[in-house]
Amino acid sequence: FLYLFLRVSLHLFTPSLLLLLAQFWVKLPIISVPHIACTGVSHSPSSSSPFELHLFIMPFFKVDIHTHILPKNLPDLRERFGYGGFIRLEYSEDGEKADMWQDDTFFRAIEKNCYCPTARYPDMERTDVDVQVLSTVPVMFSYWAKPEDCLELSRIINDDIADNVKLAPEKFIGLGTVPMQAPELAIQELRRCVNELGLAGIEIGTHINDWNLDAPELFPVFEEAERLGAAIFIHPWDMMSKDKMPDYWLPWLVGMPAETSLAICSMIFGGVFERLPALKVCFAHGGGSFPGTIARVQHGFDVRPDLCAIRNKKGPREYCGRFYCDSLTHDADMLQQIVKLFGADKIIMGSDYPFPLGEHMPGKLVEEVDFLTEEEKKKILGLNCLEFFGLDPANYVKDKE
C-alpha cells in the first residue's frame, strides 16, 4: 500500500512535501550502489531496499566540484628521486586508514575514502551526491621539486585519477595536476590530461613558488588551457605567512582564504581574464576572502590607479561574474553575498570531501536557504558544474530530472 501511495503521490505532491512525508512516516534504508571492491581491500555493500524512495524524494541532481583523492599505490618518492620533501602513505593493517608523512613529519591521518574510489560510494549515496569531481590533495602539487620529477609525479597522479573515472564515468569527473614551475612541461602534461586521459582540466595552486598567477611565465599555460577548453580549479596551498601562525590551525583558517584572494586579484589586476575571456576558472572556498574585501579592493583601484591599474585598466568589479567559485562558505549570509557578487550561474557546489574542514552534507546549505529559487538551486547543486566543464547533462542526469 505504501509503495502504491508513493507512486501516485509523485504526480500529486511537490518533492518537498514528499520528503517531509518520508521523514515522518517511513524509515527505509537507501538503496545500494553496485559493489566494486578496491584491489586488496574489500568492503560490504549497503543493504538494499524494495522501495526506491530516492527517485521520489530527492529533487536535486548534485555534482561536487571540490573533492580530493590520492593514488592508493603511491611509490616511495624520496627513494625514487633521491631527495626528500614528498608525501608518503603508511597504511593500517586492515587497509581502512593511512597516515600521510612528509619525510619524517606526520602530516595528516586519512581514511580509505581518500585513496579508494569505491569507498566513496556509501558517502555519496548517504549525502545524495551523484557525481564527484576528483582532484589531488594540494600538498601533492610539489612545485618546489625538480621539474622532471614533478612531471613524473603528476603523471602518476593523473593516470590514477583517469583510471578512477574509467571505473565509474557516471560518478566521477577528473582534474589533473601539472608541473606549473616549468610552464613548457605543464603545457605538455595539460595536453596529455585533456587529449589522452580525457580529464576535464587541471587543478593548480594559488601561487607557484615565487610567482603569483599574473606572472608572465604562467600566461602560456593559461593560454593553452583556453585553447583546449580545459577548466582550471584553483585551490590554496603553501599558505602565505604560515611560519608566523603555527598555532590554532591558522594557516588553514586565515592563510587559505587570503591565498585565494591573492590569486583572484593577481589574475584580475594582471590582465589574465581580460586577455583570455574564454578561460574557464573556478576558485575554491567561495572565493576565499575576496568577496568580503571586494569593496576595499575596488576602492583601492579607484583611488590609486597609479599602483593598481598598471597592467589592466578595468576595475575588479567588472570581472565578478567572469569566473566561478565553489559554494563552500559555511554560512548562509556569505553564500548570499557570493551569489549577489558573482551570480547564481557562477556558483558551483563544492564540499572539500573527505576532509573535516569541508561541508559534511554537500549542498545542504544551498538546499535550505530561502533566497534562492528552485531553478537557481538546481544550477548551483549540479548543472553549473557540468556547464563549466562543457559536459552533456544527459550523460549524468538520469532519474532526477
Side-chain angles (χ1 to χ4, degrees):
F1 174 82
L2 176 60
Y3 177 73
L4 292 175
F5 173 77
L6 288 172
R7 294 285 295 183
V8 174
S9 297
L10 176 63
H11 303 286
L12 300 179
F13 299 108
T14 65
S16 297
L17 181 55
L18 285 171
L19 176 59
L20 185 64
L21 291 171
Q23 287 175 330
F24 284 95
W25 290 1
V26 295
K27 295 291 183 182
L28 295 173
I30 303 173
I31 68 165
S32 65
V33 296
H35 170 53
I36 306 175
C38 289
T39 303
V41 182
S42 63
H43 65 280
S44 299
S46 58
S47 59
S48 61
S49 165
F51 302 103
E52 298 182 357
L53 290 180
H54 69 299
L55 297 182
F56 304 109
I57 66 176
M58 293 308 302
F60 294 116
F61 169 76
K62 292 183 182 179
V63 183
D64 190 345
I65 196 173
H66 189 165
T67 83
H68 299 294
I69 196 165
L70 292 167
K72 176 171 173 52
N73 299 311
L74 188 67
D76 187 328
L77 299 170
R78 179 167 59 179
E79 179 178 327
R80 189 170 189 140
F81 297 136
Y83 58 97
F86 298 99
I87 293 292
R88 76 175 193 276
L89 299 180
E90 291 186 359
Y91 297 96
S92 61
E93 290 186 2
D94 60 4
E96 296 293 314
K97 297 180 180 180
D99 289 336
M100 296 175 67
W101 290 82
Q102 195 163 25
D103 292 334
D104 298 323
T105 302
F106 176 75
F107 181 75
R108 171 183 284 163
I110 57 175
E111 297 185 358
K112 186 172 64 175
N113 56 10
C114 197
Y115 51 83
C116 175
T118 58
R120 296 170 167 242
Y121 290 174
D123 289 337
M124 293 173 69
E125 189 176 6
R126 176 179 55 83
T127 59
D128 295 294
V129 171
D130 297 275
V131 182
Q132 286 186 342
V133 180
L134 306 178
S135 59
T136 194
V137 181
V139 71
M140 302 300 292
F141 290 152
S142 304
Y143 299 143
W144 50 268
K146 296 177 182 178
E148 296 79 6
D149 298 337
C150 187
L151 174 62
E152 186 173 344
L153 174 57
S154 296
R155 291 174 68 92
I156 292 170
I157 293 170
N158 296 338
D159 289 346
D160 180 76
I161 289 176
D163 287 343
N164 292 334
V165 174
K166 290 176 183 177
L167 174 70
E170 76 286 357
K171 289 183 176 296
F172 297 131
I173 297 167
L175 294 176
T177 183
V178 298
M180 291 291 288
Q181 73 272 42
E184 290 186 3
L185 294 181
I187 291 172
Q188 172 187 320
E189 183 61 12
L190 170 62
R191 290 171 179 164
R192 191 180 80 95
C193 284
V194 174
N195 296 331
E196 297 181 27
L197 300 182
L199 302 182
I202 56 174
E203 176 195 30
I204 70 169
T206 43
H207 68 274
I208 313 300
N209 299 333
D210 292 332
W211 296 335
N212 289 327
L213 298 187
D214 62 332
E217 293 88 347
L218 297 175
F219 188 79
V221 182
F222 298 136
E223 194 172 34
E224 182 65 10
E226 184 189 53
R227 188 191 71 80
L228 291 169
I232 299 179
F233 182 56
I234 298 181
H235 194 293
W237 84 296
D238 185 34
M239 283 73 81
M240 63 176 72
S241 301
K242 61 183 182 295
D243 293 336
K244 292 185 177 181
M245 44 184 176
D247 300 323
Y248 319 120
W249 214 16
L250 292 185
W252 273 256
L253 304 182
V254 176
M256 277 194 168
E259 278 287 336
T260 305
S261 184
L262 169 66
I264 295 174
C265 289
S266 295
M267 296 187 79
I268 290 174
F269 288 129
V272 177
F273 291 126
E274 182 64 22
R275 296 172 64 190
L276 300 173
L279 182 65
K280 300 189 294 185
V281 177
C282 180
F283 294 92
H285 308 140
S289 59
F290 179 80
T293 57
I294 178 59
R296 179 180 179 87
V297 172
Q298 180 66 48
H299 183 68
F301 178 89
D302 293 338
V303 300
R304 292 303 304 268
D306 57 315
L307 298 177
C308 299
I310 299 171
R311 296 170 64 180
N312 186 10
K313 302 301 181 183
K314 292 186 179 180
R317 284 192 182 273
E318 294 192 44
Y319 294 92
C320 295
R322 290 276 295 274
F323 53 84
Y324 292 75
C325 70
D326 73 20
S327 63
L328 188 54
T329 61
H330 305 286
D331 178 76
D333 290 338
M334 184 51 67
L335 178 62
Q336 188 171 26
Q337 165 70 3
I338 65 173
V339 169
K340 181 179 178 182
L341 183 62
F342 302 123
D345 290 342
K346 298 298 182 181
I347 311 300
I348 301 174
M349 187 187 80
S351 73
D352 211 353
Y353 177 94
F355 297 130
L357 198 51
E359 186 179 25
H360 298 169
M361 293 294 294
K364 184 172 185 285
L365 180 62
V366 173
E367 291 181 275
E368 291 181 345
V369 297
D370 59 7
F371 55 81
L372 293 170
T373 67
E374 291 294 295
E375 287 304 309
E376 288 174 332
K377 290 179 180 181
K378 283 184 179 180
K379 289 180 178 181
I380 293 172
L381 292 170
L383 299 182
N384 284 349
C385 189
L386 298 183
E387 182 177 348
F388 174 63
F389 290 128
L391 298 173
D392 185 355
N395 294 329
Y396 301 93
V397 183
K398 295 181 175 61
D399 54 16
K400 293 198 175 185
E401 272 301 293

